Amino acid sequence: VQLQASGGGLVQAGGSLRLSCAASGRPISRYAMSWFRQAPGKEREFVAAVSQNSGSTLYADSVKGRFAISRDNAKNTVYLQMNSLKPEDTAVYSCAAGLSMLGHRAAYGYWGQGTQVTVSS
């Protein structure tokens, strides 16, 4: 499955952005989907994940209550709604697909190119 993230940009602190991850090649309905991010000089970190049928979600503590992951299997697309953004949310955000909804990189075998999110103070 090929993944392409979009929707990033520059936003002021407190603002919102909605990221999209469009998949092609295979239906995403068989995969758990996730978002990770990587800030300059830091390791890639888990942000959020959603199960195959949207029945379960998982979030990093740093984004709970502010971010929401969702998916539309009919459109083969996953979303990340980001509200109340903070400067520390600045990073390249990437989507990933795997067979299990887990919060670590090793669980995901398919990765897309990321989209830059910059939050100014």
Side-chain angles (χ1 to χ4, degrees), residues 41-83:
K42 294 187 177 181
E43 294 284 323
R44 182 176 289 180
E45 65 174 358
F46 170 76
V47 175
V50 59
S51 63
Q52 284 83 338
N53 62 0
S54 299
S56 298
T57 55
L58 184 66
Y59 294 94
D61 288 343
S62 58
V63 306
K64 278 181 182 177
R66 300 188 299 121
F67 290 12
I69 188 171
S70 61
R71 64 192 294 162
D72 186 336
N73 287 344
K75 294 183 178 180
N76 235 26
T77 302
V78 179
Y79 305 97
L80 185 68
Q81 178 66 43
M82 304 186 296
N83 301 324

Side-chain angles (χ1 to χ4, degrees), residues 4-11 15-22 35 77-83 85 89 91-95 113-119:
Q4 180 63 56
S6 62
L10 174 64
V11 63
S16 298
L17 280 175
R18 188 195 196 201
L19 305 184
S20 298
C21 174
W35 288 93
T77 302
V78 179
Y79 305 97
L80 185 68
Q81 178 66 43
M82 304 186 296
N83 301 324
L85 283 161
D89 294 319
V92 174
Y93 285 71
S94 302
C95 54
Q113 290 189 334
T115 184
Q116 176 71 47
V117 172
T118 303
V119 184

